[in-house]
Amino acid sequence: TLTPYARVMERTTIGLTVRPELGPCLDCTFSPSSHGYPLLQLSRGKSLVASRIVLTHTLGRPIRRGYKALHHCDRTLCVEATHLYEGTSRNNADDMYARGGRETLLTLKAVKDIRATTANGIRYGMLAKLARKYSAGKTTIHAIAHYRTWKHAV
């Protein structure tokens, strides 16, 4: 049988290049969690987050208690080892703030599509679908749809 790492690597595709200095993302095609992170389904209803599997493999040890697998590219689908690093929630918030937050990765075209898709109301599953499509959080999509962010984009 394949190791969890090998199973993740079997289910990847070249993704977007959101930061040229990083190179392209390697997106995992497993079904994502409600937060947008691809999950490897194990037996008995257990699952593991794909980026944690890859980072653990890359580090050669378990991720430390209280730490997470963070993404330099800010894309939840990405499992490219060079885009992942071990850090705390605080590290993640600081890094995202320094880069201008997740919304800056979206384009004006994406924002207009989000608003057009949600113009007649937000149906069940719509936020998750748009979040996956644009590698953003559901909260980000909701804020865009309700003009709480990207106010200048009409």
Side-chain angles (χ1 to χ4, degrees):
T1 66
L2 294 175
T3 66
Y5 174 77
R7 289 175 63 191
V8 169
M9 291 297 104
E10 277 192 334
R11 295 279 303 273
T12 60
T13 182
I14 300 299
L16 300 173
T17 301
V18 293
R19 295 179 54 207
E21 69 274 16
L22 292 178
C25 290
L26 186 62
D27 291 349
C28 183
T29 60
F30 288 134
S31 296
S33 69
S34 60
H35 297 287
Y37 294 93
L39 296 175
L40 171 61
Q41 298 299 323
L42 303 175
S43 60
R44 299 185 188 131
K46 287 192 171 196
S47 59
L48 296 173
V49 176
S51 55
R52 288 185 65 87
I53 294 168
V54 173
L55 183 59
T56 297
H57 177 83
T58 303
L59 295 171
R61 62 169 171 78
I63 296 171
R64 291 179 284 178
R65 173 176 247 143
Y67 284 68
K68 300 177 178 195
L70 305 180
H71 296 78
H72 288 296
C73 58
D74 288 333
R75 296 189 69 245
T76 58
L77 298 177
C78 183
V79 293
E80 169 57 50
T82 60
H83 294 193
L84 302 174
Y85 66 103
E86 183 179 42
T88 64
S89 295
R90 181 68 195 185
N91 297 140
N92 198 32
D94 290 346
D95 289 348
M96 284 183 60
Y97 180 77
R99 288 192 295 273
R102 188 181 298 253
E103 292 95 57
T104 59
L105 298 176
L106 294 170
T107 64
L108 181 59
K109 182 179 180 207
V111 169
K112 288 182 177 183
D113 179 56
I114 290 165
R115 290 195 176 138
T117 303
T118 59
N120 293 323
I122 299 174
R123 295 182 313 280
Y124 179 79
M126 188 181 291
L127 291 177
K129 183 177 178 182
L130 288 168
R132 280 192 304 276
K133 180 177 180 180
Y134 293 109
S135 296
K138 290 190 294 186
T139 304
T140 299
I141 301 298
H142 189 270
I144 290 168
H146 288 88
Y147 291 83
R148 292 191 187 109
T149 58
W150 285 81
K151 295 175 185 176
H152 62 283
V154 180

